[in-house]
Amino acid sequence: DCCDGSDEATDPSLSSVSMRGSCPDICDEVLADERARVAKLRSDFEAGFKVRAEAIEEYDQWRSRSEENLHQLRDVDMEIMKKDKEELDLKLTTAKLTFARDWISSVMDIT
């Protein structure tokens, strides 16, 4: 396959290879090299695509777990904390009232 076309016959009556020119016919080799290059590109693309797909899948799983954890913290745990706070507020109020009553009682006993 000569770049200048010297391997191509210009006269259809010339069928002998020696009459066509001195450039060897390497089309099959060039085609094989091109096919090998394309196959390598395809193989590299498929490998990269697979790695990307796996990374996306891992991210999707991580995101799903994170959303579940956030939901758990925001909704369920927050409700538990609110109830605990209300109970502690009630205990604190009761303790303050008990202290005030006992203090007033002790002051009354002294006087």
Side-chain angles (χ1 to χ4, degrees):
D1 193 25
C2 295
C3 294
D4 64 358
S6 63
D7 62 333
E8 305 294 330
T10 55
D11 185 355
S13 64
L14 300 175
S15 61
S16 168
V17 174
S18 63
M19 296 295 211
R20 290 186 184 169
S22 62
C23 186
D25 181 12
I26 58 169
C27 289
D28 290 337
E29 295 165 9
V30 170
L31 182 59
D33 290 344
E34 182 65 15
R35 285 182 177 160
R37 186 184 70 80
V38 169
K40 172 87 167 95
L41 285 173
R42 180 175 286 126
S43 172
D44 291 348
F45 174 81
E46 288 173 356
F49 185 81
K50 181 180 178 185
V51 168
R52 180 178 180 270
E54 290 170 355
I56 290 171
E57 179 64 27
E58 286 178 25
Y59 170 77
D60 288 342
Q61 291 174 359
W62 171 83
R63 183 176 177 182
S64 177
R65 286 190 311 269
S66 296
E67 287 175 351
E68 289 173 9
N69 290 340
L70 182 60
H71 172 73
Q72 176 75 18
L73 291 172
R74 187 182 322 142
D75 298 337
V76 176
D77 289 349
M78 191 60 80
E79 290 300 319
I80 292 171
M81 287 182 195
K82 284 180 182 178
K83 288 179 183 178
D84 289 347
K85 180 189 176 294
E86 289 171 1
E87 289 176 10
L88 290 173
D89 284 344
L90 182 61
K91 286 181 182 180
L92 180 61
T93 302
T94 304
K96 285 179 181 179
L97 290 173
T98 303
F99 173 78
R101 188 181 56 229
D102 291 346
W103 184 79
I104 290 173
S105 176
S106 66
V107 167
M108 296 294 253
D109 289 344
I110 293 176
T111 56

